[in-house]
Amino acid sequence: MSILKPFRNLPTLFVAITLVSMITGLIADWQALPLLATVSYTIAYITGGAYGVKAAYESLRAWRIDIDLLMILAALGAVIVGAPFEGAMLLFLFSLSNVLQSYAIGRTRRAIEALMELRPAQANVLRDGKNIVLPIEAVQVGDWFSVRPGEAIPLDGVIEVGQGAVNEASLTGESLPVSKHVGDSVFAGTINENGSLDVRVTQRAEDSTLAKLIQLVEVAHSEKANTQRFIDRAEQYYAVGVILLTIVAIVLPILVWQASFDSAFYRAMTLMVAASPCALVISTPATVLSAIGNGARHGVLFKGGVYVERAATIKVLAVDKTGTLTVGKPQVTDVRVVRAGLCEDELLQIAAAVEQKSEHPLAQAVVREAQRRALTVPAVSQFESLAGQGVWATVEDRPIFVGNLRHLTTDNKAVAIEHVTALQAEGKTAVVVVEKVAETLCVMGVIGIADVLRENVADIIQAIHQAGVPHVVMLTGDNLRVANHVGKLAGIEEIYADLMPADKLRLLKELREKYGAVAMVGDGVNDAPALATADLGIAMGAAGTDVALESADVVLMGDDLSSIPYLIALSHATRRTLVQNLTFALAVIVVLVAAVLGVGLALPLSVLGHEGSTVLVSLNGLRLLGFKR
């Protein structure tokens, strides 16, 4: 790679040589130094036309005619009519615009290369109680490796020992470090900022999230936008038309008006330059690739240019509830004490002691809340799980039940039912904590558990509306009561609940017929069919999720809903830039052609106007590299 690195800048070097040689030739003409002028212009034509000749030759071999051939013919025509400076200027500006287009691609590729450099080539693998340094390609799934503070994480894995803060900005675009604990996933190419970690490998080097990201961006470069596809199809026919028009512009004045060959040929060359579609052809890829590069730096991966444009056409956004609007993990939201003389922490401590041996998600939520409050959880004995009811256990010689009241009769059941009903009305699951004293059951308290909304969801939904999406709906398999509660908090009025996967597909088709183009946002696993069916599938929190990378059109590497209004705003900015570029490029062609035919516009002005417009639309497209919402 290091040997080839100097050759990457050859196009830019050739543009610089072309400029210097062109100016030297012009000065030599003024000073009447014909030999120096000839040598200088020859160098300018070789360096300025090298890539154009190569591209034109490849096109002709494929029986195509494109703008590269037009530019080479126009430059040679300028030499024939005695205007070598104009031809050199044409090749210089055309090469410059191609370099600017390549810059948009290069910015993204350089970002990816920098990402690859973040991933160390070796890992400190733990085997037989010893640290062994191995190339990452030699590390197998199931191996353990250690990461010290400040080191880059070499492979995808799950933390088995330790905790710390990991900077995932290179992968997700999130600038703040993410707190990681035992059981959390970490990804190759991210930085362990503090804390020592022992990690179990879950993906080989070639299958890591980073490797998939690199491949995804490379594929996006080859997937053209709709506008670019249309222009690519029209370019050949247009180029043939320009050549025929040029031939007519040479022959017709000579046959009809007895014009001299030199004057007819000069005007025809000027007309060829004026009518060539350079700005039209170059402006679209420069714009779209700049948008793809910008999105990649912010953790938004478009799987092709077509999806950059399509996001701006979305009329309705369908959002999954669990794991998308909510965090996807139940949390304790309420601890309500019923028995007098008991505090919240004591109630939670007793409940966590009983639940610590259960694998049920609600039980784990209670245990996590006790850990969060740094409560000491006592040991239990005689643990018994009753399917569909709850669990019994003995906590410090006290029989305790945690579950629902459906099958129990207690002395204060009415009070407990009031709390349970109130929590259920808020879309929460209520579990009761009951102690058996002698032969009497007494409710100690009620704990409310729910899958809570992500932070600032209501503001993000409003931002999505402001970004240009008039309708946001929620699709969920959860019950209507919970769905309505979550929808109210999120600011979503149109809610569809109790849905099976097939129901989601049916509803997406109905929404498309009712509103127009529909986008689906999901977590990339159970929503895969809907993501694939929608006009635009958006998978969020997809770092390390194979299904999301395969089924979605846009992948949000970070677990952050705020990326959605960003990608929609970026898409609208891209569409506006495309319209600006295409309108400007067409207007310049019309004005230049009219000026050539009407007032005999000189070749230098035609070159300057046409290729100047090409450079301008390229620069306008490159502005998207710095887009911020």
Side-chain angles (χ1 to χ4, degrees), residues 466-515:
Q466 294 172 352
V469 180
H471 306 284
V472 178
V473 305
M474 183 171 70
L475 308 181
T476 179
D478 211 336
N479 65 74
L480 184 60
R481 184 187 69 249
V482 174
N484 283 332
H485 178 73
V486 171
K488 182 179 179 180
L489 293 176
I492 300 175
E493 296 180 356
E494 196 165 346
I495 296 166
Y496 300 90
D498 298 307
L499 300 178
M500 299 296 288
D503 297 323
K504 290 186 179 182
L505 300 183
R506 173 182 54 80
L507 278 167
L508 287 177
K509 295 176 182 178
E510 293 178 2
L511 290 169
R512 184 185 294 117
E513 293 175 359
K514 183 178 180 180
Y515 297 117

Side-chain angles (χ1 to χ4, degrees), residues 92-420:
F92 163 69
L93 292 173
F94 186 63
S95 300
L96 177 61
S97 60
N98 277 293
V99 167
L100 290 174
Q101 178 185 344
S102 299
Y103 177 73
I105 303 173
R107 279 290 295 270
T108 302
R109 285 193 174 142
R110 281 194 295 274
I112 296 302
E113 288 171 359
L115 204 60
M116 293 176 69
E117 291 173 3
L118 283 176
R119 183 178 65 180
Q122 299 175 323
N124 294 316
V125 180
L126 303 173
R127 286 184 180 173
D128 300 325
K130 298 179 181 179
N131 275 330
I132 304 174
V133 178
L134 292 176
I136 58 172
E137 292 79 10
V139 181
Q140 302 296 320
V141 173
D143 281 341
W144 285 34
F145 63 85
S146 61
V147 186
R148 292 186 294 270
E151 291 183 344
I153 295 172
L155 296 152
D156 286 7
V158 174
I159 298 175
E160 296 290 349
V161 178
Q163 61 181 20
V166 177
N167 186 338
E168 297 182 341
S170 58
L171 200 64
T172 66
E174 173 56 54
S175 59
L176 296 177
V178 180
S179 180
K180 297 285 185 176
H181 303 85
V182 172
D184 289 340
S185 297
V186 293
F187 306 104
T190 57
I191 307 297
N192 177 30
E193 294 203 341
N194 58 61
S196 294
L197 306 176
D198 289 346
V199 181
R200 175 174 50 84
V201 178
T202 57
Q203 298 278 4
R204 288 176 55 86
E206 61 268 26
D207 300 323
S208 69
T209 301
L210 177 60
K212 294 170 188 172
L213 184 151
I214 294 167
Q215 182 183 11
L216 192 61
V217 175
E218 291 296 331
V219 169
H221 288 156
S222 63
E223 293 290 333
K224 297 179 179 179
N226 288 332
T227 303
Q228 187 176 350
R229 288 176 182 168
F230 171 77
I231 290 176
D232 286 348
R233 288 195 300 268
E235 177 188 356
Q236 183 174 0
Y237 300 104
Y238 187 93
V240 172
V242 171
I243 291 176
L244 294 176
L245 178 64
T246 303
I247 294 173
V248 171
I250 295 173
V251 174
L252 190 63
I254 295 175
L255 296 180
V256 177
W257 297 291
Q258 287 75 49
S260 66
F261 174 80
D262 287 348
S263 63
F265 191 81
Y266 182 89
R267 175 169 288 192
M269 291 300 101
T270 307
L271 184 63
M272 176 185 282
V273 173
S276 295
C278 304
L280 284 173
V281 172
I282 288 177
S283 65
T284 302
T287 301
V288 173
L289 290 174
S290 295
I292 290 175
N294 181 293
R297 292 203 312 273
H298 290 85
V300 178
L301 303 184
F302 295 96
K303 294 178 74 171
V306 61
Y307 305 117
V308 179
E309 285 193 278
R310 189 176 296 172
T313 68
I314 297 303
K315 300 300 179 185
V316 56
L317 186 73
V319 186
D320 174 55
K321 179 184 77 70
T322 305
T324 303
L325 289 174
T326 65
V327 297
K329 184 182 290 186
Q331 298 180 14
V332 172
T333 59
D334 300 82
V335 179
R336 302 188 177 187
V337 177
V338 174
R339 177 188 288 179
L342 197 67
C343 70
E344 284 189 9
D345 283 355
E346 289 173 328
L347 177 65
L348 192 62
Q349 198 172 23
I350 293 171
V354 175
E355 299 280 44
Q356 63 184 330
K357 290 190 176 183
S358 173
E359 296 181 356
H360 194 283
L362 298 182
Q364 292 302 307
V366 173
V367 174
R368 283 195 301 270
E369 180 63 16
Q371 292 173 343
R372 190 188 69 82
R373 298 191 185 194
L375 301 179
T376 301
V377 179
V380 299
S381 60
Q382 298 179 343
F383 179 86
E384 181 184 4
S385 177
L386 304 177
Q389 300 180 35
V391 293
W392 278 97
T394 301
V395 181
E396 297 176 341
D397 297 325
R398 299 164 64 187
I400 304 293
F401 172 82
V402 179
N404 61 63
L405 282 175
R406 194 177 308 158
H407 305 285
L408 298 179
T409 301
T410 65
D411 61 353
N412 54 353
K413 188 172 184 177
V415 178
I417 288 177
E418 289 182 9
H419 288 291
V420 170

